[in-house]
């Protein structure tokens, strides 16, 4: 009976210990960070609606939005004790290795052909700029963009420029980063301050639909004609994954599960929804080609930078070199071993030949002594006669029985 009571007490303590993290969060504020570089319209369509839906589906918690700097990201996350984070997909590629996180969902446009690729860049110029018809014509022009780490507002455009064989670092004459695409980039191009503006996919169409600019006042350069663009928006580059929603380390698993279920069940909002689709490979490839983010070391030509850049090749070369050195020493050892064995064999043969020669010499001497018989020695004559008689008897025996 005492044993049964002890086991029952242990189980209750175990359940209590497991439940402590969840109980600690119950009724408390859940902090959701978001990248400060997000456009204002994104703030209203993504952040606001997502926050309201989470609050509705999970009423036991109070959800709060907090801006996170794209410069001091890790410091802000630790300082504010962020639980979840919403940011462009490239944001998390750069963050990987710094702070552990788990991908929960990615924003996709509803009904697109490839849900994992929905955001790219659009080059826009004033409609009357007949001198600009292609990406080549943009070279040496003044450019306006939102932020240097914006995937759709800058990075995808640089990737397209590199794809056309140009150096994206020295392509434009000037680069004016305005922070916001709407209305800053649009106004910069329309006013003539910039020759070209870089917008994220669908920004141009939304600005025209809202009456912020006159329809047809801006023209798209290098317009793609395939059917991959989200909801038929014009684009000038290939497409990548859009916003991602992730959980950071330390958030209780039950809360993560509830948030994930809520996001995936959230209805379509502003032609988009949350999905598990995600394509980090194409973003990593883009950043590597541009030598940015986690691949910025590719710009470093110092010994340390070169060592990091060609780490695989160096390791392979050192491995091959060590193998060749080991093989050389092994061959030398085998050659020396075979040489010693051959030398010992030759010495043994010479010794055997010498001993054989001495034996032959001794035998010849004995044979010579046997055949030698001095004149006048009667015992030699008798011996020779006996030998002859023996030979004759042997001959007769062979004749009779042969």
């Amino acid at each position: 009976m005492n044993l049964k009571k002890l086991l029952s007490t242990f189980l209750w303590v175990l359940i209590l210990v497991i439940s402590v993290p969840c109980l600690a969060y119950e009724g408390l504020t859940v902090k959701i960070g978001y990248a400060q570089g997000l456009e204002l319209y994104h703030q209203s369509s993504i952040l606001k609606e997502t926050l309201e839906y989470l609050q509705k589906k999970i009423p036991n918690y109070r959800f709060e939005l907090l801006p996170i700097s794209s410069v001091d990201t890790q410091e802000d996350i630790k300082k504010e004790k962020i639980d979840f984070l919403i940011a462009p997909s490239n944001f998390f590629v750069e963050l990987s290795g710094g702070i552990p996180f788990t991908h929960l969902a990615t924003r996709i446009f509803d009904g697109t052909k490839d849900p994992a690729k929905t955001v790219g860049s659009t080059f826009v110029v004033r409609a009357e700029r007949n001198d600009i018809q292609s990406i080549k014509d943009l070279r040496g022009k003044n450019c306006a963009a939102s932020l240097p780490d914006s995937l759709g507002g800058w990075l995808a455009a640089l990737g397209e420029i590199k794809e056309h064989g140009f150096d994206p670092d020295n392509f434009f004459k000037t680069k004016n980063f305005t922070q916001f695409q709407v209305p800053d980039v649009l106004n910069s191009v329309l006013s003539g301050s910039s020759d070209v503006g870089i917008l994220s996919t669908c920004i141009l169409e939304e600005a025209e639909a809202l009456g912020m600019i006159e329809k047809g006042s801006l023209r798209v350069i290098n317009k793609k004609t395939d059917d991959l663009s989200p909801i038929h928006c014009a684009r000038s580059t290939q497409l990548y994954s859009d916003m991602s929603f992730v959980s950071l380390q330390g958030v209780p698993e039950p809360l993560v599960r509830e948030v994930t279920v809520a996001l995936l069940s959230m209805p379509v909002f502003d032609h988009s929804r949350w999905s598990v689709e995600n394509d980090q490979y194409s973003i990593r490839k883009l950043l590597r080609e541009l030598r940015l983010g986690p691949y910025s070391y590719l710009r470093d030509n110092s010994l340390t930078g070169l060592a990091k850049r060609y780490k695989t090749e160096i390791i392979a070369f050192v491995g091959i070199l060590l193998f060749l050195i080991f093989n050389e020493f092994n061959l030398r050892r085998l050659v020396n071993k075979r040489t010693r064995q051959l030398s010992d064999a030759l010495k043994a043969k010479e010794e055997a030949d010498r001993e054989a020669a001495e034996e032959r010499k001794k035998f010849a001497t004995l044979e010579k002594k046997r055949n030698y018989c001095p004149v006048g020695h009667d015992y030699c004559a008798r011996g020779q006669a006996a030998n002859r008689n023996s030979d004759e008897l042997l001959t007769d025996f062979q004749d009779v029985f042969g």
Side-chain angles (χ1 to χ4, degrees):
M1 181 65 74
N2 290 335
L3 181 60
K4 187 179 291 186
K5 274 188 175 183
L6 184 62
L7 288 174
S8 178
T9 305
F10 175 75
L11 288 174
W12 277 110
V13 171
L14 183 62
I15 293 171
L16 182 62
V17 169
I18 295 174
S19 303
V20 163
C22 302
L23 294 173
Y25 262 76
E26 189 77 19
L28 297 181
T29 299
V30 176
K31 297 180 179 180
I32 302 177
Y34 66 92
Q36 281 187 328
L38 296 181
E39 297 298 319
L40 292 177
Y41 85 95
H42 275 151
Q43 230 172 300
S44 60
S45 64
I46 298 178
L47 302 180
K48 183 181 177 182
E49 294 191 37
T50 300
L51 182 69
E52 290 177 352
Y53 191 77
L54 289 176
Q55 194 65 73
K56 175 184 175 182
K57 298 295 289 186
I58 314 174
N60 296 334
Y61 303 94
R62 187 173 70 86
F63 292 89
E64 178 183 359
L65 284 172
L66 293 173
I68 297 297
S69 170
S70 59
V71 179
D72 302 317
T73 305
Q74 297 188 31
E75 290 75 8
D76 280 4
I77 289 175
K78 293 176 181 178
K79 179 182 176 182
E80 299 293 344
K81 297 181 179 179
I82 300 298
D83 301 304
F84 298 93
L85 184 60
I86 302 175
S89 295
N90 64 294
F91 195 86
F92 298 106
V93 173
E94 298 181 29
L95 191 64
S96 60
I99 293 181
F101 62 87
T102 302
H103 176 268
L104 302 183
T106 297
R107 175 181 179 258
I108 67 170
F109 280 91
D110 191 48
T112 55
K113 185 175 181 179
D114 189 347
K117 296 182 178 182
T118 55
V119 62
S121 296
T122 306
F123 295 104
V124 295
V125 299
R126 284 186 298 174
E128 64 270 17
R129 290 294 300 265
N130 296 322
D131 58 318
I132 303 177
Q133 299 293 331
S134 65
I135 286 183
K136 181 180 179 180
D137 299 329
L138 297 176
R139 189 176 185 181
K141 297 296 190 292
N142 300 312
C143 176
S146 55
L147 290 169
D149 60 352
S150 172
L151 179 58
W154 183 247
L155 299 178
L158 295 186
E160 190 70 20
I161 290 170
K162 186 174 180 61
E163 185 71 21
H164 279 70
F166 300 104
D167 178 12
D169 293 334
N170 302 297
F171 186 74
F172 295 112
K173 181 180 179 180
T174 62
K175 292 170 280 190
N176 177 27
F177 293 107
T178 63
Q179 185 175 2
F180 294 111
Q181 298 178 33
V182 180
D184 300 342
V185 172
L186 295 173
N187 290 339
S188 181
V189 176
L190 290 172
S191 65
S193 300
S194 299
D195 301 303
V196 58
I198 298 176
L199 304 173
S200 295
T201 316
C202 292
I203 292 287
L204 176 62
E205 287 79 4
E206 290 189 15
E208 290 177 342
L210 293 172
M212 301 182 68
I213 62 172
E214 183 181 349
K215 190 172 183 178
S217 59
L218 294 177
R219 180 166 47 87
V220 177
I221 301 298
N222 194 51
K223 186 176 181 179
K224 302 290 184 179
T225 56
D226 55 55
D227 59 348
L228 292 179
S229 297
I231 57 175
H232 308 295
C233 296
R235 64 184 178 93
S236 306
T237 70
Q238 73 174 75
L239 298 171
Y240 303 90
S241 293
D242 198 5
M243 298 290 166
S244 289
F245 194 113
V246 306
S247 65
L248 301 179
Q249 190 178 38
V251 182
E253 187 274 337
L255 176 58
V256 174
R257 184 175 65 251
E258 284 190 82
V259 170
T260 304
V261 171
L263 290 174
L264 298 181
S265 62
M266 185 174 173
V268 175
F269 59 97
D270 194 24
H271 307 290
S272 60
R273 59 185 174 86
W274 291 107
S275 171
V276 293
E277 297 284 350
N278 191 29
D279 178 21
Q280 291 288 305
Y281 173 76
S282 60
I283 297 176
R284 288 185 178 276
K285 182 181 177 183
L286 172 66
L287 293 178
R288 183 177 180 83
E289 290 177 349
L290 297 177
R291 299 177 297 172
L292 295 173
Y295 304 102
S296 57
Y297 67 88
L298 296 174
R299 296 174 178 268
D300 185 3
N301 291 320
S302 65
L303 289 177
T304 304
L306 292 173
K308 189 173 183 181
R309 187 183 314 173
Y310 299 107
K311 179 173 65 176
T312 304
E313 290 82 356
I314 291 174
I315 292 175
F317 173 77
V318 172
I320 293 173
L321 183 62
L322 290 175
F323 171 77
L324 292 175
I325 293 173
F326 171 78
N327 192 53
E328 180 67 21
F329 277 111
N330 191 46
L331 286 175
R332 286 174 180 261
R333 183 182 64 81
L334 291 174
V335 169
N336 291 335
K337 181 180 179 180
R338 295 291 186 270
T339 302
R340 286 195 302 271
Q341 291 175 344
L342 180 61
S343 179
D344 293 341
L346 289 174
K347 288 180 181 180
K349 184 177 181 303
E350 290 175 357
E351 182 67 21
D353 291 344
R354 186 181 62 77
E355 291 178 356
E358 290 179 355
E359 291 295 328
R360 286 194 298 272
K361 186 177 180 181
K362 289 178 181 179
F363 181 78
T365 302
L366 290 174
E367 186 68 20
K368 188 176 181 181
K369 285 182 179 181
R370 189 173 80 87
N371 295 326
Y372 175 70
C373 188
V375 179
H377 286 70
D378 195 35
Y379 69 88
C380 283
R382 289 195 299 270
Q384 290 174 350
N387 288 335
R388 283 195 298 271
N389 290 334
S390 297
D391 292 340
E392 289 175 358
L393 288 173
L394 178 62
T395 302
D396 293 341
F397 181 82
Q398 290 176 343
D399 291 339
V400 173
F401 296 97

